[in-house]
């Protein structure tokens, strides 16, 4: 069992016995008793920070990662599906309905933008909403809700059909926006859960393992597309025109619908994960329940109870309020971190989604895997779909997936900032090379192969670089009461970049002719990567540091005695010496050690975000409710 150094020597969590806590509460001055409560809190957090790697960490990585697998699959499957939708519902339809015109059908610019922008737009709102809810209601309470939204919306996409009143593209856009809300909720909650449950020395790798499932999701989307398209080869080659169209319609619904499977598997496990100890301690103010929940994390059998007869003493602790939020982020040392995490993610997603959602267009523009000329219409459709899915599969295998696992290896060795610096700098060079040499490379088969190689390198250094670190750092650098909210703000900034990228890409790519502006788009990506280098300078290094140390708040006086100015239940909140607003809190009396206890998966409405107006009588807490014994 691990201990920490305190004002009275070394304290261990299992050494917090009933008699010492009871005696402290009755005989020591309130100030000394509060010091003891702070020591108890730090002892429990110290155990989380130094816990040995266990199967619980594996479970966290698996359950959180399954959501990211589903997210990436659903987001990037549209890359190949949009081509099929163009064949079925696109413009350029021959007036006579000639089947030979189908290979030339594509979605209009408005349809393409709507399909590809709906999900990032939904993700943006979902990240803000669920990030805020994660701090107000708790991580566990809403964990699984976002997955239910994803499952319902994915099923809705697979089942949608055209009607006299609404086009199928319009229905798809609606469901993809709803799906985006759920995907957006997954980002802050999964990041914060994996961060708050992890030990200091493995936190980067656990969070990277969670996020790396995005790569497997992208790979699976392209692999399943390739397999399903290949399975329908006979229908394309030997079927009638109506059978070919029916096959295309079945294929895109299968590809989208398969995204429900991993989410359905992960749903049960998400509903059974306990609340994070940090939220239970710092927001719910229940040290005893946090100690119980630690039994899932630590390889020890100690249990903790509360001494029911301890004297009641009113105390205060920092709460998440509007005034406290403004006070915290009014300090430049905190605000600059939020600006750094938010803008870095914005700059990265300009290129990440600009390439990721349009790789089929770029591969077709350079003639990579283009169908042979003179083929029958059905055979041309099949070969185009086959080649596009194969090209995306190559990009995933050669660049996307290896980049995540390179980050996994080095994230806790090099640190977050060096990897982010390296990634942005390398991407700047790669996009400049791809942009300025685009026409020259596109002029020969060898040049096109070189372009694809640079494309794979760009994918690699996006993931072995800022795509991974922009997810990890916001989940570490903010205090518990704002960690999910600030992560949601940072992630939403990234999705704003994705929305901007899609709008700009679709309307700029054909300036001067079809796909004639692609080289300049790549140069614009390089500019944003360059700006990401400067925003990284605003971010602190988080490697091998506790979350409490990174919060820029003193932990010695996190719990404080109620001063004379707040002895009245109707007294307003006040600002302590550190400049943070504090408010008294209240927890209902806990059951006795012999009575039934709340299971780790239950939830209490105590200690939530409160406004600063009105009576504070309901916020008071007693030391008996915050003391711990073994």
């Amino acid at each position: 069992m691990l201990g920490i150094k305190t004002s009275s020597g070394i304290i261990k969590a299992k050494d917090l016995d009933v008699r010492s806590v009871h005696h402290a509460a009755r005989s020591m001055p309130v100030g000394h008793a509060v010091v003891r409560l702070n020591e108890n809190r730090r002892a429990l957090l110290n155990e989380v920070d130094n816990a040995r790697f266990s199967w619980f960490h594996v479970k966290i990585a698996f359950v959180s990662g399954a959501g990211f697998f589903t997210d990436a699959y659903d987001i990037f499957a549209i890359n190949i599906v949009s081509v099929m939708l163009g064949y079925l519902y696109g413009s350029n339809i021959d007036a006579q309905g000639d089947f030979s015109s189908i290979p030339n059908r594509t979605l209009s610019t408005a349809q393409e933008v709507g399909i590809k922008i709906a999900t990032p737009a939904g993700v943006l709102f979902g990240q803000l909403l669920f990030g805020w809810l994660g701090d107000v209601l708790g991580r566990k309470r809403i964990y699984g809700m976002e997955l239910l939204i994803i499952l319902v919306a994915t099923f809705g996409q697979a089942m949608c059909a055209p009607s006299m009143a609404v086009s199928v593209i319009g229905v798809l856009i609606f469901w993809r926006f709803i799906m985006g809300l759920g995907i957006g909720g997954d980002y802050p909650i999964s990041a914060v859960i994996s961060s708050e449950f992890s030990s200091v020395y493995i936190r980067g790798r656990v969070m990277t393992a969670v996020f790396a499932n995005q790569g497997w999701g992208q790979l699976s989307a392209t692999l399943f597309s390739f397999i399903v398209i290949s399975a329908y080869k006979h229908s394309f080659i030997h079927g009638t025109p109506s059978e070919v169209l029916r096959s295309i319609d079945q294929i895109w619904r299968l590809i989208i619908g398969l995204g429900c499977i991993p989410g359905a598997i992960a749903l049960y496990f998400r509903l059974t994960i306990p609340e994070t100890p940090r939220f239970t301690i710092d927001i719910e103010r229940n040290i005893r329940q946090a100690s119980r929940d630690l039994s899932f994390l630590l390889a020890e059998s100690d249990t903790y109870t509360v001494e029911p007869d301890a004297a009641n003493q009113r105390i205060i602790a920092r709460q998440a309020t509007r005034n406290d939020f403004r006070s915290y982020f009014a300090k430049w040392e905190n605000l600059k971190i939020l600006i750094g995490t938010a803008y870095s993610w914005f700059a990265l997603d300009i290129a990440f989604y600009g390439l990721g959602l349009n790789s089929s267009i770029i591969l077709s523009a350079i003639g990579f895997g283009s169908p042979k000329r003179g083929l029958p219409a059905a055979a041309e459709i099949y070969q185009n779909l086959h080649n596009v899915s194969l090209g995306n599969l190559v990009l995933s295998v050669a660049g996307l997936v290896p980049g995540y696992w390179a980050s996994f290896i080095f994230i806790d060795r090099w640190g977050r900032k060096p990897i982010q610096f390296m990634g942005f700098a390398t991407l700047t060079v790669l996009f400049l090379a791809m942009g300025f040499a685009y026409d020259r490379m596109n002029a020969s088969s060898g040049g096109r192969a070189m372009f694809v190689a640079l494309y794979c390198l760009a994918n690699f250094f996006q993931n072995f670089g800022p795509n991974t670190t922009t997810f990890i750092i916001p989940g570490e650098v903010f205090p518990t009461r704002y960690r999910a909210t600030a992560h949601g703000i940072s992630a939403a900034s990234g999705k704003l970049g994705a929305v901007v990228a899609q709008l700009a890409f679709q309307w700029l790519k054909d300036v001067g002719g079809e796909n004639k502006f692609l080289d300049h788009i790549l140069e614009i990506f390089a500019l944003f990567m360059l700006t990401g280098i400067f925003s990284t300078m605003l971010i602190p290094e988080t490697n091998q540091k506790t979350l409490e140390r990174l919060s820029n708040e003193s932990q010695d006086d996190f719990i404080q005695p109620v001063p004379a100015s707040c002895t009245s239940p109707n007294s307003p909140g006040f600002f302590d010496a550190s400049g943070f607003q504090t408010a008294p809190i209240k927890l209902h009396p806990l059951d006795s050690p012999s009575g039934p206890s709340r299971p780790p998966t239950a939830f209490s409405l105590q200690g939530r975000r409160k406004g600063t107006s009105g009576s504070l009588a309901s916020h008071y807490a007693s030391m008996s409710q915050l003391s711990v014994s073994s």
Side-chain angles (χ1 to χ4, degrees):
M1 180 73 69
L2 298 164
I4 61 173
K5 184 175 293 185
T6 69
S7 59
S8 58
I10 301 296
I11 183 173
K12 295 182 179 180
K14 72 175 183 179
D15 292 335
L16 306 175
D17 60 80
V18 174
R19 291 179 298 278
S20 63
V21 173
H22 180 92
H23 181 266
R26 288 188 180 276
S27 62
M28 288 196 304
V30 175
H32 291 174
V34 168
V35 168
R36 184 62 181 269
L37 289 176
N38 278 299
E39 292 172 350
N40 295 351
R41 172 181 174 271
R42 294 200 305 274
L44 290 173
L45 293 179
N46 192 60
E47 293 210 32
V48 179
D49 290 332
N50 293 278
R52 292 191 297 268
F53 180 77
S54 67
W55 281 108
F56 186 78
H57 293 110
V58 177
K59 178 182 178 181
I60 289 293
F62 167 75
V63 175
S64 299
F68 274 97
F69 180 98
T70 304
D71 299 346
Y73 182 97
D74 292 334
I75 289 175
F76 293 99
I78 200 66
N79 212 336
I80 180 67
V81 167
S82 63
V83 179
M84 302 180 196
L85 294 175
Y87 290 145
L88 294 171
Y89 310 109
S91 55
N92 304 326
I93 299 177
D94 187 88
Q96 303 299 321
D98 188 359
F99 182 73
S100 62
S101 68
I102 292 180
N104 297 320
R105 289 184 189 175
T106 58
L107 294 175
S108 67
T109 299
Q111 290 175 325
E112 188 89 21
V113 169
I115 285 288
K116 292 184 177 180
I117 209 176
T119 302
V123 171
L124 189 157
F125 288 103
Q127 288 165 336
L128 293 173
L129 174 63
F130 280 87
W132 175 69
L133 289 175
D135 285 333
V136 174
L137 300 178
R139 289 72 159 116
K140 180 205 160 27
R141 175 141 189 187
I142 62 173
Y143 206 41
M145 186 188 304
E146 77 294 335
L147 210 51
L148 282 172
I149 295 174
I150 295 172
L151 294 176
V152 171
T154 301
F155 186 77
Q157 290 176 74
M159 299 299 293
C160 71
S163 68
M164 296 295 292
V166 184
S167 70
V168 67
I169 300 299
V171 177
L172 270 174
I173 290 172
F174 168 79
W175 281 119
R176 289 193 68 79
F177 178 83
I178 299 299
M179 182 183 72
L181 291 175
I183 292 175
D186 204 16
Y187 274 75
I189 305 304
S190 290
V192 168
I193 283 178
S194 57
S195 171
E196 293 182 348
F197 269 121
S198 297
S199 308
V200 170
Y201 72 99
I202 62 169
R203 190 174 62 232
R205 280 168 287 175
V206 171
M207 296 184 74
T208 302
V210 170
F211 195 59
N213 283 275
Q214 188 181 76
W216 295 119
Q218 288 177 266
L219 175 62
S220 297
T222 56
L223 179 61
F224 290 163
S225 299
F226 180 78
I227 292 172
V228 173
I229 290 169
S230 299
Y232 275 82
K233 180 178 180 180
H234 184 272
S235 298
F236 280 100
I237 303 302
H238 303 288
T240 63
S242 61
E243 290 174 341
V244 171
L245 293 176
R246 184 169 60 250
S247 296
I248 297 173
D249 195 53
Q250 291 172 352
I251 289 171
W252 79 260
R253 295 177 190 277
L254 280 172
I255 293 172
I256 293 292
L258 284 171
C260 289
I261 296 176
I265 294 173
L267 182 59
Y268 167 77
F269 296 100
R270 288 201 169 188
L271 296 176
T272 58
I273 283 183
E275 185 58 84
T276 67
R278 283 181 166 87
F279 186 88
T280 305
I281 294 171
D282 291 346
I283 309 302
E284 292 189 323
R285 318 298 187 196
N286 193 339
I287 295 181
R288 185 186 72 171
Q289 185 60 43
S291 303
R292 279 213 183 98
D293 292 348
L294 281 178
S295 64
F296 286 80
L297 179 62
L298 304 178
E300 300 166 12
S301 58
D302 298 280
T303 58
Y304 301 82
T305 58
V306 172
E307 169 55 40
D309 297 324
N312 288 338
Q313 298 287 350
R314 291 180 297 187
I315 57 91
I316 58 174
R318 294 185 179 96
Q319 282 192 295
T321 63
R322 290 187 181 92
N323 285 344
D324 181 69
F325 184 88
R326 287 193 293 265
S327 174
Y328 181 82
F329 286 106
K331 293 189 175 183
W332 174 243
E333 63 181 355
N334 300 322
L335 179 61
K336 72 175 184 179
I337 297 174
L338 183 60
I339 294 173
T341 57
Y343 183 81
S344 295
W345 210 329
F346 173 85
L348 179 277
D349 275 4
I350 288 282
F352 184 76
Y353 283 91
L355 290 179
L357 294 181
N358 298 292
S359 55
S360 298
I361 294 174
I362 296 174
L363 291 175
S364 298
I366 64 172
F368 183 81
S370 297
K372 298 178 181 178
R373 295 182 179 180
L375 289 174
E380 183 178 349
I381 292 171
Y382 168 77
Q383 192 171 72
N384 185 50
L385 294 175
H386 179 274
N387 291 347
V388 168
S389 60
L390 180 61
N392 282 283
L393 185 61
V394 170
L395 295 177
S396 296
V397 172
L400 289 171
V401 174
Y404 288 107
W405 294 103
S407 290
F408 178 85
I409 294 172
F410 293 104
I411 195 73
D412 284 323
R413 298 182 183 181
W414 292 3
R416 286 56 154 164
K417 282 187 73 172
I419 291 177
Q420 186 159 311
F421 269 126
M422 176 197 67
F424 273 129
T426 306
L427 289 170
T428 301
V429 175
L430 288 173
F431 285 132
L432 284 175
M434 294 167 68
F436 284 107
Y438 176 82
D439 291 330
R440 186 175 302 176
M441 287 189 288
N442 199 22
S444 64
S445 59
R448 286 190 289 271
M450 176 60 70
F451 183 89
V452 172
L454 293 176
Y455 200 139
C456 291
L457 279 176
N459 284 336
F460 177 83
F461 282 104
Q462 282 177 330
N463 295 328
F464 183 32
N467 191 40
T468 300
T469 55
T470 52
F471 170 79
I472 293 175
I473 295 173
E476 300 177 307
V477 293
F478 302 104
T480 301
R481 64 191 185 279
Y482 298 129
R483 189 168 291 126
T485 300
H487 193 285
I489 292 172
S490 301
S493 299
K495 291 308 166 285
L496 177 61
V499 171
V500 171
Q502 292 310 305
L503 290 172
F505 190 96
Q506 296 300 329
W507 269 289
L508 287 178
K509 70 184 182 69
D510 293 330
V511 172
E514 186 178 3
N515 296 325
K516 293 295 185 180
F517 206 76
L518 287 180
D519 53 344
H520 300 303
I521 290 177
L522 293 169
E523 293 161 10
I524 293 172
F525 289 166
L527 175 62
F528 279 100
M529 297 304 99
L530 180 63
T531 62
I533 296 175
F534 297 103
S535 64
T536 302
M537 296 177 182
L538 300 174
I539 300 171
E541 178 54 66
T542 62
N543 189 30
Q544 305 303 314
K545 296 178 182 177
T546 67
L547 299 181
E548 284 65 42
R549 178 183 174 186
L550 292 167
S551 69
N552 285 332
E553 292 184 324
S554 171
Q555 301 302 304
D556 293 334
D557 59 350
F558 191 87
I559 298 172
Q560 302 173 9
V562 178
S565 61
C566 275
T567 55
S568 170
N570 295 321
S571 299
F574 70 97
F575 287 88
D576 64 11
S578 301
F580 297 103
Q581 186 180 20
T582 56
I585 58 173
K586 178 182 179 181
L587 290 174
H588 292 312
L590 300 175
D591 50 74
S592 64
S594 60
S597 63
R598 174 171 73 100
T601 56
F603 180 78
S604 172
L605 288 176
Q606 282 26 290
R608 298 293 137 67
R609 185 190 304 255
K610 301 287 184 181
T612 58
S613 61
S615 173
L616 294 176
S618 62
H619 292 273
Y620 282 105
S622 71
M623 289 197 302
S624 65
Q625 295 159 345
L626 292 173
S627 302
V628 181
S629 61
S630 66

